[in-house]
């Protein structure tokens, strides 16, 4: 797992806004779904969930949820060593997240905690992705942040340095949610200076989703872990049927969900941590970007104007795109499309394997009125018991080592590639906060690259020069 220093001085300028959502948002993520769950009742009024993200994003399915009663007795497995129930806490706590698809899992985890702490009431609230960070910042400035917040790795520094988050280093040094139980990159993603401000929640990775029906119709073999760039290009050509409006792949202007992965697969880097420089102008990165846009040049992908009207997820869900790079967090949405018969494979190999792999964490508001209970809750959420409940819900890959099998077993589709690829993953380079100079530069030039108006090499050199100049 390769770890990148986030460009915080550059990226945290301006209003807090994030776009990667491993486990709930992505460069294409925009949720229009709001749900509120209380300790015995889940009240969800879901409207269409559409994800749109630049750090996290992903079009969500339309879901109608009636108010449903949560069982009063938790189904949490018995696991005394993970429950840390040597002392029970009381009071009320509020936890907030942006992905309503994950509400059932969070509810089960909260129930498990309340089983061990019957005098404590936990409310889980989901807020649409495009409102989450704005509301969270306003709450932080107003001194009324929720007790527990699901934190994004590209935002933790901003909140921690602003004195809004509690240092949770002692929990990670303890027995219940010890740091050694999690992938080191997820732990380190929430480290600011020498303190840790998040207890790992999950990991989110990318895979190659493919439409089995379209592959069968074109007599093309399904992708495998051994696929190369040439294999993907060849398949995209065979799967494209312009008369039917079907394309082989969606080549989107999306770093997290497309071209960052190609750069890494080609042996390049988006950012050189040691030199503290953007490296989009390297030969490896330029070659990867040329490969990315070649799908559009050859007509194997919808063009940039088409993808501005319909997201890659919408194209894939409607059966108009045969292959799509997508996050593990998209499984629930895709499975809710009755007409979509899909499989998942690891991303193809270029010069090497490479894929984005990051995670979210549970953080505690520094000014919570119930610090003892809040810390107790996040400790439980990061415990083997709590993470197993998350795995069994099927909504996210748990971060706790050894708890991933229940998540894999939850699906009829083979989702193991999402777990396997974590072995060679890369964390976000940090070009995600929509208010940052880096993102503004990418937003100026990348659309021109994917619309074929600006040569790749010229664009990469200009982007690199301007980003590095903005960091001075």
């Amino acid at each position: 797992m390769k770890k990148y220093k986030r460009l915080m001085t550059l990226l945290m300028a301006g209003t807090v806004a994030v776009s990667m959502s491993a486990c709930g948002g992505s460069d294409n993520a925009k949720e229009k779904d709001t749900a509120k769950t209380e300790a015995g009742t889940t009240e969800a009024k879901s409207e269409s969930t559409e994800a749109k993200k630049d750090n996290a994003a992903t079009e969500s399915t339309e879901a109608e949820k009636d108010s449903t009663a949560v069982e009063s007795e938790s189904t949490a497995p018995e696991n005394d060593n993970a429950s840390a129930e040597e002392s029970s806490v009381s009071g009320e706590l509020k936890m907030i997240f942006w992905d309503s698809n994950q509400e059932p899992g969070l509810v089960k985890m909260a129930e498990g905690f309340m089983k061990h702490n019957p005098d404590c009431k936990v409310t889980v609230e989901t807020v649409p992705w495009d409102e989450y960070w704005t509301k969270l910042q306003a709450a932080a400035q107003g001194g009324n942040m929720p007790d527990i917040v699901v934190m994004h790795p590209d935002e933790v520094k901003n909140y921690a340095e602003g004195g809004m988050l509690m240092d949770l280093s002692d929990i990670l040094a303890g027995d219940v949610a010890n740091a050694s139980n999690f992938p080191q990159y997820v732990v380190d993603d929430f480290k600011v200076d020498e303190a840790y401000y998040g207890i790992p929640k999950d990991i989110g990775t990318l895979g190659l989703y493919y439409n089995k029906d379209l592959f069968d119709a074109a007599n093309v073999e399904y992708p495998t872990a051994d696929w190369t760039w040439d294999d993907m290009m060849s398949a995209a050509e065979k799967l494209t049927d312009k008369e039917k409006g079907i394309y082989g792949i969606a080549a989107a202007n999306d770093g997290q969900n497309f071209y960052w992965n190609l750069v890494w697969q080609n042996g390049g880097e988006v950012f050189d941590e040691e030199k503290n420089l953007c490296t989009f102008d390297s030969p490896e990165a330029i070659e990867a970007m040329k490969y990315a846009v070649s799908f559009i040049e050859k007509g194997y992908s919808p063009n940039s104007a088409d993808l501005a009207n319909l997201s890659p997820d919408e194209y894939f869900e409607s059966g108009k795109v045969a292959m799509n790079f997508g996050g593990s967090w998209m499984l629930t949405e895709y499975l809710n499309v009755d007409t979509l018969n899909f499989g998942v494979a690891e991303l193809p190999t270029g010069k090497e394997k490479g894929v984005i792999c990051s995670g979210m964490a549970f953080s505690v508001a520094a000014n919570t009125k119930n610090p003892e209970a809040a810390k107790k809750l996040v400790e439980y959420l990061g415990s083997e018991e709590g993470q197993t409940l998350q795995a069994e819900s099927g909504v996210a890959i748990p971060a706790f080592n050894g708890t991933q099998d229940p998540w894999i077993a939850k699906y009829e589709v083979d989702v193991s590639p999402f777990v396997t690829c974590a072995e060679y993953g890369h964390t976000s380079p940090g070009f995600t906060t929509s208010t940052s100079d880096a993102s503004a530069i990418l937003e100026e030039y990348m659309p021109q690259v994917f619309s074929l108006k600006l040569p790749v090499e010229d664009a990469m050199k200009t982007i690199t020069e301007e980003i590095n100049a903005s960091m001075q």
Side-chain angles (χ1 to χ4, degrees):
M1 169 60 60
K2 296 189 177 180
K3 176 77 167 62
Y4 295 86
K5 178 191 297 181
R6 290 179 294 281
L7 314 179
M8 290 302 178
T9 302
L10 173 66
L11 294 175
M12 292 306 164
T15 304
V16 178
V18 175
S19 46
M20 161 144 185
S21 89
C23 301
S26 71
D27 285 7
N28 301 328
K30 182 180 186 181
E31 286 200 332
K32 295 180 180 176
D33 206 351
T34 309
K36 185 172 184 180
T37 302
E38 290 210 357
T41 305
T42 304
E43 297 176 1
K45 298 179 182 176
S46 290
E47 302 174 6
S48 77
T49 336
E50 219 186 358
K52 193 114 187 140
K53 165 189 142 199
D54 171 359
N55 183 332
T58 62
E59 304 275 351
S60 292
T61 58
E62 280 200 338
E64 289 295 333
K65 297 189 196 169
D66 295 325
S67 294
T68 58
V70 175
E71 294 291 337
S72 60
E73 291 187 7
S74 169
T75 56
E78 295 292 342
N79 189 337
D80 289 343
N81 75 328
S83 66
E85 56 182 335
E86 63 275 4
S87 61
S88 179
V89 293
S90 61
E92 296 187 3
L93 296 171
K94 180 179 178 180
M95 177 164 56
I96 189 171
F97 189 33
W98 59 77
D99 184 8
S100 62
N101 285 331
Q102 295 200 36
E103 176 200 354
L106 290 174
V107 170
K108 289 295 184 185
M109 296 168 84
E111 286 181 316
F113 175 76
M114 290 186 288
K115 177 180 178 180
H116 298 297
N117 300 272
D119 294 326
C120 191
K121 180 180 179 181
V122 180
T123 298
V124 177
E125 181 178 347
T126 57
V127 174
W129 172 264
D130 53 1
E131 300 174 17
Y132 185 84
W133 298 100
T134 301
K135 288 187 174 181
L136 188 59
Q137 184 186 38
Q141 292 175 340
N144 60 346
M145 271 182 71
D147 304 281
I148 313 298
V149 298
V150 176
M151 183 53 60
H152 190 285
D154 290 332
E155 289 294 343
V156 65
K157 185 178 177 71
N158 193 36
Y159 282 88
E161 290 189 342
M164 302 172 190
L165 301 180
M166 185 182 295
D167 181 356
L168 303 176
S169 301
D170 57 333
I171 294 178
L172 290 170
D175 295 329
V176 178
N178 189 275
S180 64
N181 293 317
F182 307 101
Q184 191 61 44
Y185 66 90
V186 180
V187 175
D188 288 345
D189 267 347
F190 297 91
K191 181 180 181 181
V192 179
D193 296 327
E194 296 304 313
Y196 294 88
Y197 293 93
I199 304 302
K201 175 189 178 295
D202 56 41
I203 56 176
T205 62
L206 244 60
L208 180 65
Y209 287 96
Y210 58 93
N211 185 312
K212 291 184 175 182
D213 293 338
L214 294 180
F215 270 75
D216 292 342
N219 197 29
V220 177
E221 293 186 3
Y222 298 156
T224 68
D226 298 325
W227 254 31
T228 65
W229 279 11
D230 288 341
D231 292 324
M232 186 165 68
M233 183 65 72
S234 176
E237 178 183 11
K238 295 173 183 176
L239 290 159
T240 298
D241 187 335
K242 293 187 178 179
E243 290 185 1
K244 295 181 179 179
I246 295 173
Y247 295 91
I249 194 169
N253 173 19
D254 189 325
Q256 173 189 293
N257 292 326
F258 192 52
Y259 62 78
W260 289 348
N261 304 279
L262 299 177
V263 171
W264 293 322
Q265 291 164 14
N266 204 43
E269 298 289 355
V270 178
F271 187 75
D272 187 322
E273 181 179 358
E274 292 184 359
K275 296 180 180 180
N276 199 37
L277 292 172
C278 172
T279 54
F280 258 134
D281 62 346
S282 69
E284 295 82 5
I286 290 172
E287 184 179 24
M289 292 303 299
K290 287 182 177 179
Y291 175 76
V293 301
S294 69
F295 290 101
I296 299 174
E297 291 173 335
K298 296 176 180 180
Y300 305 158
S301 166
N303 61 37
S304 60
D306 293 332
L307 289 170
N309 292 323
L310 287 178
S311 73
D313 299 312
E314 288 176 317
Y315 263 103
F316 186 69
E317 291 168 6
S318 64
K320 296 300 183 181
V321 157
M323 295 181 288
N324 188 38
F325 282 29
S328 52
W329 53 88
M330 289 303 299
L331 280 165
T332 300
E333 179 173 329
Y334 287 169
L335 286 168
N336 284 333
V337 181
D338 293 336
T339 57
L340 184 59
N341 178 24
F342 70 90
V344 184
E346 295 177 49
L347 296 187
T349 305
K351 295 176 181 175
E352 59 187 69
K353 285 187 172 294
V355 63
I356 193 164
C357 188
S358 192
M360 303 299 124
F362 297 106
S363 295
V364 177
N367 64 347
T368 175
K369 295 178 180 179
N370 198 342
E372 180 185 3
K375 291 185 69 174
K376 191 85 168 179
L377 174 56
V378 295
E379 181 181 52
Y380 176 84
L381 296 174
S383 71
E384 182 175 6
E385 178 180 323
Q387 293 273 299
T388 299
L389 287 172
Q390 179 176 229
E392 291 172 349
S393 72
V395 296
I397 305 172
F400 197 103
N401 295 331
T403 63
Q404 289 78 32
D405 284 349
W407 181 81
I408 294 174
K410 184 74 175 180
Y411 297 97
E412 293 182 5
V413 176
D414 179 12
V415 297
S416 61
F418 287 121
V419 176
T420 302
C421 69
E423 299 171 3
Y424 50 81
H426 297 244
T427 55
S428 168
F431 299 121
T432 55
T433 305
S434 62
T435 53
S436 71
D437 291 341
S439 289
I441 293 167
L442 291 174
E443 289 168 6
E444 178 178 357
Y445 295 105
M446 280 300 187
Q448 298 180 60
V449 171
F450 280 86
S451 63
L452 310 180
K453 296 178 180 178
L454 187 62
V456 168
E457 190 163 357
D458 293 345
M460 295 303 101
K461 289 183 177 180
T462 300
I463 287 170
T464 302
E465 290 173 359
E466 293 195 11
I467 287 180
N468 287 333
S470 70
M471 294 172 60
Q472 302 302 315

